[in-house]
Amino acid sequence: MKTSIRRNRRAAVAVALGSVLALTATACGDDGSGSAGDKGNEGSGKGEITFWDNNGGVRTDIWKQIISDFEKKYPNIKVNYVGIPAASAQSKYDTAIQGGGLPDVGGVGTAMLAEVAVQGALEPLDGRLAKSPLNGKLSQNLVQSSKAAGGGDQLYQIPTSSNNGTLWYRTDLFKKAGLDAPTTWDKFYTAADKLTDKGKNRFGFTIRGGEGSIAPALDAAYSQSGITSFWNGDRTTVNDPKNVAALEKYVALYKKDTPSADVNNDFTKMVAQWDSGTIGMLSHNLGSYQDHLKALGADKFRGLPNPTQADGTRVQISNPVDGLSLFKSSKNKAAAWKFVEFALSHEENSKFNQSAGQIPANTDAAEDAWIQKAEPTKLAAEALNGAGTKIVQLPYYLPDWNTISKADNEPNFQKVLLGKMSAKDFLNTLADQLNKAQADWKQNH
C-alpha cells in the first residue's frame, strides 16, 4: 500500500512537470488566471498585490502590522492579506496552481517548497537577491537551507526565520548534582546517567519516541558522528557506521535514563513531562520556552544549542525554515519584491521574529536587544550563524520525504527503542528508501 501511494505521488509530480512545460510552451501573454503556467510580468511597482500568510491566525497580527508599516513607506502599493491555516497551506497552493488564483507573494515553508517549485509556480530569486540591499544581510546557513529545500539549483524562497534544536536542562538539578552544563555529548551522557534515580521516579533525559521522532534521532546521530553531508554522491550517509554507532549510544538511554512512556511520547507529552520537574534534560526547540517559563520559573532551567563534540565541533541537521516566495504568475513582481525586501529588513524581520519567538534570518536583527535578553534564542542564533557550524541539509525536496520520515519509519524507531529492531537495521532500511527516492527524483528532475 505504501509503495502504491509513493508511485502515485511520483506520477503526480511527473505529470505536474509535464503540464508545466506544456503550459509554459503555449502561454502567450497574461490571462489573469494566476496559475502555474502564467508568465506574469514585472508590472509598474505600484498598485495592489496579494499576500498569503501560510500560518494565518497564529501570525495574522504581526503580518498586518508589517503590512501597515510597508504601506506607510510605499503609499502607492496596497497589500491584500489572506491568512491560511498552516495545516491547509499546501492544499491551498496546489489548488491555486491547477485552477488559478495564486497570490503575488506568499509564505512557503521548506517542507512544501519543492512541491510548489516543481510545478513551475515560483520565481527564481537568485538574481533579485544578488542586486538587493538584503544581499549579505541574511544568514548564509538559512539561505543554503532554503536553496537545498527547493532542489538545490535555484533559490525559490527568501528565509524569514528558523527554529533550532535546543537542549533544555534543569539548572537546579545540575547544581545539586555538581554537574557541568551539558554543552558536549560527553557531558550530556554523564548528566543523563547521574540524574537518574528510578526509585524516586527521576530521570536524566526524556527521549522522543512518538510522532516526530525521526528528526531528533538523526540530529543526535549526525551531531555525534561529525558527518556533515546527507549524501555521498547519490547514496545517503544515514547508515554510515559512525551514525549507526552514534544512534546505538543514543537509544541505549531509553528506560535506562528515560521514562518508559517515552516510546509513545510526542513533543506535547515530552514537554509536559519535563515541566513536571522530575527530568533533567529535554531536547526540543525554542517553541516550548514559554511553557517551561510558566511551569518552572526563569531560575530553574536554561536552553542551550544541542551538544557539540568534545573539541567543540558543531554539526546539526537543517531545521524547517519559513520564508517568502514570489509567484511566477504575478502581474506585479516589482511591487511584490519590494514587499519581500521590506519584510526582511532589519527592523521588520526583528519585529516578526520577536513575535514568533524564532531566529531572524536577517543577521543584523539577530543582534537586537530582545534576542540578547532571551538567552536560548541568542545562543541558538549564534550557533546557527557560527562560522564553524556545519548544517546537514535534510532532503525536504524529495516528494517521498514526509512519508519516509513519518509513516514508514516512526514505527520502526519505536521498535529500536523496544529492542525489536537494531539501530543498524533501522538506518539501513531508512537508507534504502532514501536512495530509491533520490534515484526517482533524479530521473524526474
Side-chain angles (χ1 to χ4, degrees):
M1 182 66 177
K2 289 173 183 173
T3 302
S4 175
I5 290 170
R6 281 200 208 96
R7 285 175 179 163
N8 290 340
R9 196 170 181 185
R10 290 182 195 124
V13 171
V15 168
L17 276 168
S19 301
V20 168
L21 292 172
L23 284 164
T24 303
T26 58
C28 49
D30 301 319
D31 62 10
S33 67
S35 58
D38 297 337
K39 293 179 182 179
N41 55 60
E42 283 297 298
S44 65
K46 302 176 183 179
E48 293 190 13
I49 58 172
T50 297
F51 164 63
W52 283 8
D53 172 11
N54 62 325
N55 199 0
V58 177
R59 303 280 182 253
T60 296
D61 289 346
I62 186 61
W63 273 121
K64 285 191 172 180
Q65 188 176 341
I66 291 169
I67 289 168
S68 176
D69 293 344
F70 175 78
E71 291 177 342
K72 287 175 185 174
K73 181 173 182 178
Y74 297 99
N76 54 7
I77 302 175
K78 174 177 172 53
V79 181
N80 298 311
Y81 171 89
V82 178
I84 303 167
S88 57
Q90 174 76 66
S91 61
K92 180 77 171 176
Y93 280 125
D94 287 342
T95 299
I97 287 169
Q98 299 306 317
L102 284 166
D104 299 279
V105 59
V108 181
T110 48
M112 72 174 86
L113 183 64
E115 291 197 29
V116 177
V118 79
Q119 296 179 76
L122 300 181
E123 181 87 357
L125 299 174
D126 303 79
R128 293 178 192 270
L129 180 59
K131 299 173 185 176
S132 170
L134 293 177
N135 191 29
K137 293 292 186 180
L138 302 178
S139 164
Q140 285 307 298
N141 278 333
L142 290 189
V143 171
Q144 287 304 312
S145 290
S146 296
K147 198 162 192 174
D153 297 328
Q154 292 179 304
L155 183 67
Y156 291 108
Q157 178 213 59
I158 301 298
T160 54
S161 56
S162 178
N163 227 317
N164 205 58
T166 301
L167 183 64
W168 302 100
Y169 76 99
R170 289 285 304 273
T171 51
D172 54 343
L173 299 182
F174 269 68
K175 183 178 180 180
K176 185 177 180 180
L179 289 164
D180 293 334
T183 53
T184 68
W185 282 104
D186 287 342
K187 291 177 179 178
F188 165 82
Y189 283 112
T190 297
D193 193 54
K194 191 167 183 180
L195 291 174
T196 298
D197 186 342
K198 293 182 182 179
K200 295 182 179 179
N201 196 35
R202 295 187 177 277
F203 298 93
F205 184 56
T206 174
I207 194 169
R208 189 166 181 169
E211 184 180 355
S213 61
I214 302 303
L218 292 180
D219 206 7
Y222 279 97
S223 181
Q224 292 177 84
S225 72
I227 296 171
T228 58
S229 176
F230 197 80
W231 300 103
N232 182 7
D234 287 330
R235 310 289 293 179
T236 182
T237 58
V238 293
N239 61 336
D240 183 283
K242 291 181 180 178
N243 277 336
V244 172
L247 188 62
E248 287 173 342
K249 188 173 184 180
Y250 185 68
V251 299
L253 292 172
Y254 176 65
K255 286 209 302 187
K256 181 174 79 73
D257 294 327
T258 81
S260 59
D262 279 355
V263 70
N264 293 312
N265 282 353
D266 60 10
F267 86 90
T268 304
K269 293 174 183 173
M270 288 170 57
V271 168
Q273 189 171 257
W274 191 71
D275 286 346
S276 72
T278 60
I279 299 173
M281 295 178 290
L282 161 73
S283 185
H284 190 232
N285 56 46
L286 295 169
S288 54
Y289 175 70
Q290 292 299 328
D291 291 323
H292 308 326
L293 196 62
K294 187 183 300 183
L296 301 171
D299 60 340
K300 290 185 179 179
F301 75 97
R302 285 183 73 198
L304 301 174
N306 284 336
T308 68
Q309 296 180 32
D311 63 359
T313 300
R314 184 178 301 284
V315 179
Q316 62 184 60
I317 64 168
S318 55
N319 281 271
V321 176
D322 210 1
L324 298 176
S325 294
L326 198 63
F327 284 81
K328 194 176 290 185
S329 59
S330 170
K331 306 302 188 294
N332 202 347
K333 294 176 188 175
W337 179 248
K338 285 180 183 177
F339 179 70
V340 173
E341 287 185 317
F342 183 82
L344 266 296
S345 65
H346 176 172
E347 183 178 350
E348 301 301 319
N349 191 234
S350 181
K351 188 183 300 181
F352 175 84
N353 282 283
Q354 185 173 12
S355 171
Q358 295 187 323
I359 303 169
N362 187 303
T363 52
D364 289 336
E367 298 295 324
D368 281 354
W370 70 268
I371 284 199
Q372 304 310 308
K373 293 175 183 176
E375 186 192 40
T377 308
K378 173 180 180 288
L379 295 175
E382 290 173 353
L384 182 66
N385 296 320
T389 298
K390 305 296 182 184
I391 307 292
V392 179
Q393 301 293 347
L394 295 183
Y396 296 116
Y397 60 87
L398 292 178
D400 290 341
W401 170 247
N402 284 335
T403 302
I404 291 171
S405 64
K406 293 182 181 295
D408 284 5
N409 285 289
E410 285 179 356
N412 283 343
F413 186 67
Q414 290 179 315
K415 291 179 182 178
V416 175
L417 292 179
L418 294 170
K420 296 179 179 179
M421 187 178 199
S422 70
K424 182 177 181 180
D425 286 346
F426 166 73
L427 291 176
N428 282 339
T429 299
L430 179 60
D432 182 59
Q433 294 169 341
L434 287 165
N435 290 335
K436 289 176 181 175
Q438 174 76 350
D440 284 348
W441 183 82
K442 283 272 190 178
Q443 186 177 353
N444 291 308
H445 186 60

PDB file of all heavy atoms in Angstrom, residues 15-30:
ATOM      1  N   VAL A  15       3.583  14.231 -13.828  1.00  0.00           N
ATOM      2  CA  VAL A  15       2.518  14.855 -14.605  1.00  0.00           C
ATOM      3  C   VAL A  15       2.551  16.372 -14.438  1.00  0.00           C
ATOM      4  O   VAL A  15       2.393  17.128 -15.403  1.00  0.00           O
ATOM      5  CB  VAL A  15       1.133  14.297 -14.173  1.00  0.00           C
ATOM      6  CG1 VAL A  15       0.008  15.139 -14.762  1.00  0.00           C
ATOM      7  CG2 VAL A  15       0.998  12.852 -14.618  1.00  0.00           C
ATOM      8  N   ALA A  16       2.780  16.807 -13.167  1.00  0.00           N
ATOM      9  CA  ALA A  16       2.849  18.251 -12.914  1.00  0.00           C
ATOM     10  C   ALA A  16       3.969  18.893 -13.713  1.00  0.00           C
ATOM     11  O   ALA A  16       3.799  19.954 -14.316  1.00  0.00           O
ATOM     12  CB  ALA A  16       3.055  18.508 -11.425  1.00  0.00           C
ATOM     13  N   LEU A  17       5.118  18.230 -13.758  1.00  0.00           N
ATOM     14  CA  LEU A  17       6.243  18.758 -14.521  1.00  0.00           C
ATOM     15  C   LEU A  17       5.898  18.855 -16.001  1.00  0.00           C
ATOM     16  O   LEU A  17       6.173  19.853 -16.663  1.00  0.00           O
ATOM     17  CB  LEU A  17       7.464  17.846 -14.338  1.00  0.00           C
ATOM     18  CG  LEU A  17       8.308  18.102 -13.092  1.00  0.00           C
ATOM     19  CD1 LEU A  17       9.287  16.956 -12.905  1.00  0.00           C
ATOM     20  CD2 LEU A  17       9.037  19.410 -13.200  1.00  0.00           C
ATOM     21  N   GLY A  18       5.261  17.791 -16.521  1.00  0.00           N
ATOM     22  CA  GLY A  18       4.874  17.797 -17.921  1.00  0.00           C
ATOM     23  C   GLY A  18       3.875  18.886 -18.224  1.00  0.00           C
ATOM     24  O   GLY A  18       3.954  19.564 -19.251  1.00  0.00           O
ATOM     25  N   SER A  19       2.919  19.071 -17.321  1.00  0.00           N
ATOM     26  CA  SER A  19       1.908  20.105 -17.501  1.00  0.00           C
ATOM     27  C   SER A  19       2.519  21.485 -17.517  1.00  0.00           C
ATOM     28  O   SER A  19       2.145  22.344 -18.301  1.00  0.00           O
ATOM     29  CB  SER A  19       0.851  20.012 -16.393  1.00  0.00           C
ATOM     30  OG  SER A  19       0.224  18.757 -16.407  1.00  0.00           O
ATOM     31  N   VAL A  20       3.488  21.690 -16.602  1.00  0.00           N
ATOM     32  CA  VAL A  20       4.149  22.997 -16.527  1.00  0.00           C
ATOM     33  C   VAL A  20       4.882  23.303 -17.819  1.00  0.00           C
ATOM     34  O   VAL A  20       4.798  24.401 -18.368  1.00  0.00           O
ATOM     35  CB  VAL A  20       5.135  23.028 -15.339  1.00  0.00           C
ATOM     36  CG1 VAL A  20       6.021  24.252 -15.421  1.00  0.00           C
ATOM     37  CG2 VAL A  20       4.369  23.042 -14.039  1.00  0.00           C
ATOM     38  N   LEU A  21       5.603  22.296 -18.337  1.00  0.00           N
ATOM     39  CA  LEU A  21       6.339  22.504 -19.579  1.00  0.00           C
ATOM     40  C   LEU A  21       5.385  22.827 -20.725  1.00  0.00           C
ATOM     41  O   LEU A  21       5.640  23.706 -21.547  1.00  0.00           O
ATOM     42  CB  LEU A  21       7.165  21.255 -19.902  1.00  0.00           C
ATOM     43  CG  LEU A  21       8.328  20.981 -18.952  1.00  0.00           C
ATOM     44  CD1 LEU A  21       8.942  19.614 -19.257  1.00  0.00           C
ATOM     45  CD2 LEU A  21       9.380  22.066 -19.056  1.00  0.00           C
ATOM     46  N   ALA A  22       4.260  22.109 -20.763  1.00  0.00           N
ATOM     47  CA  ALA A  22       3.283  22.344 -21.823  1.00  0.00           C
ATOM     48  C   ALA A  22       2.676  23.737 -21.718  1.00  0.00           C
ATOM     49  O   ALA A  22       2.536  24.458 -22.706  1.00  0.00           O
ATOM     50  CB  ALA A  22       2.192  21.287 -21.763  1.00  0.00           C
ATOM     51  N   LEU A  23       2.311  24.126 -20.484  1.00  0.00           N
ATOM     52  CA  LEU A  23       1.717  25.443 -20.280  1.00  0.00           C
ATOM     53  C   LEU A  23       2.680  26.554 -20.631  1.00  0.00           C
ATOM     54  O   LEU A  23       2.318  27.553 -21.238  1.00  0.00           O
ATOM     55  CB  LEU A  23       1.264  25.583 -18.818  1.00  0.00           C
ATOM     56  CG  LEU A  23      -0.024  24.855 -18.433  1.00  0.00           C
ATOM     57  CD1 LEU A  23      -0.121  24.765 -16.917  1.00  0.00           C
ATOM     58  CD2 LEU A  23      -1.238  25.546 -19.003  1.00  0.00           C
ATOM     59  N   THR A  24       3.936  26.371 -20.230  1.00  0.00           N
ATOM     60  CA  THR A  24       4.951  27.379 -20.489  1.00  0.00           C
ATOM     61  C   THR A  24       5.162  27.542 -21.983  1.00  0.00           C
ATOM     62  O   THR A  24       5.347  28.640 -22.494  1.00  0.00           O
ATOM     63  CB  THR A  24       6.273  27.004 -19.803  1.00  0.00           C
ATOM     64  OG1 THR A  24       6.023  26.837 -18.413  1.00  0.00           O
ATOM     65  CG2 THR A  24       7.325  28.079 -19.993  1.00  0.00           C
ATOM     66  N   ALA A  25       5.122  26.418 -22.702  1.00  0.00           N
ATOM     67  CA  ALA A  25       5.366  26.461 -24.138  1.00  0.00           C
ATOM     68  C   ALA A  25       4.221  27.135 -24.887  1.00  0.00           C
ATOM     69  O   ALA A  25       4.429  27.789 -25.908  1.00  0.00           O
ATOM     70  CB  ALA A  25       5.570  25.047 -24.667  1.00  0.00           C
ATOM     71  N   THR A  26       2.983  27.005 -24.398  1.00  0.00           N
ATOM     72  CA  THR A  26       1.831  27.504 -25.141  1.00  0.00           C
ATOM     73  C   THR A  26       1.311  28.845 -24.645  1.00  0.00           C
ATOM     74  O   THR A  26       0.504  29.477 -25.307  1.00  0.00           O
ATOM     75  CB  THR A  26       0.675  26.486 -25.073  1.00  0.00           C
ATOM     76  OG1 THR A  26       0.344  26.257 -23.702  1.00  0.00           O
ATOM     77  CG2 THR A  26       1.076  25.162 -25.706  1.00  0.00           C
ATOM     78  N   ALA A  27       1.748  29.260 -23.423  1.00  0.00           N
ATOM     79  CA  ALA A  27       1.224  30.516 -22.874  1.00  0.00           C
ATOM     80  C   ALA A  27       1.614  31.693 -23.747  1.00  0.00           C
ATOM     81  O   ALA A  27       2.751  31.801 -24.180  1.00  0.00           O
ATOM     82  CB  ALA A  27       1.756  30.726 -21.460  1.00  0.00           C
ATOM     83  N   CYS A  28       0.687  32.579 -24.056  1.00  0.00           N
ATOM     84  CA  CYS A  28       1.007  33.760 -24.850  1.00  0.00           C
ATOM     85  C   CYS A  28       0.328  34.955 -24.195  1.00  0.00           C
ATOM     86  O   CYS A  28      -0.854  35.188 -24.359  1.00  0.00           O
ATOM     87  CB  CYS A  28       0.557  33.598 -26.301  1.00  0.00           C
ATOM     88  SG  CYS A  28      -1.127  33.027 -26.521  1.00  0.00           S
ATOM     89  N   GLY A  29       1.091  35.689 -23.405  1.00  0.00           N
ATOM     90  CA  GLY A  29       0.532  36.820 -22.686  1.00  0.00           C
ATOM     91  C   GLY A  29      -0.057  36.403 -21.367  1.00  0.00           C
ATOM     92  O   GLY A  29       0.025  35.259 -20.963  1.00  0.00           O
ATOM     93  N   ASP A  30      -0.671  37.335 -20.669  1.00  0.00           N
ATOM     94  CA  ASP A  30      -1.211  37.097 -19.333  1.00  0.00           C
ATOM     95  C   ASP A  30      -2.718  36.966 -19.410  1.00  0.00           C
ATOM     96  O   ASP A  30      -3.413  37.858 -19.887  1.00  0.00           O
ATOM     97  CB  ASP A  30      -0.860  38.265 -18.401  1.00  0.00           C
ATOM     98  CG  ASP A  30       0.645  38.453 -18.294  1.00  0.00           C
ATOM     99  OD1 ASP A  30       1.347  37.437 -18.204  1.00  0.00           O
ATOM    100  OD2 ASP A  30       1.089  39.605 -18.304  1.00  0.00           O
TER     101      ASP A  30
END
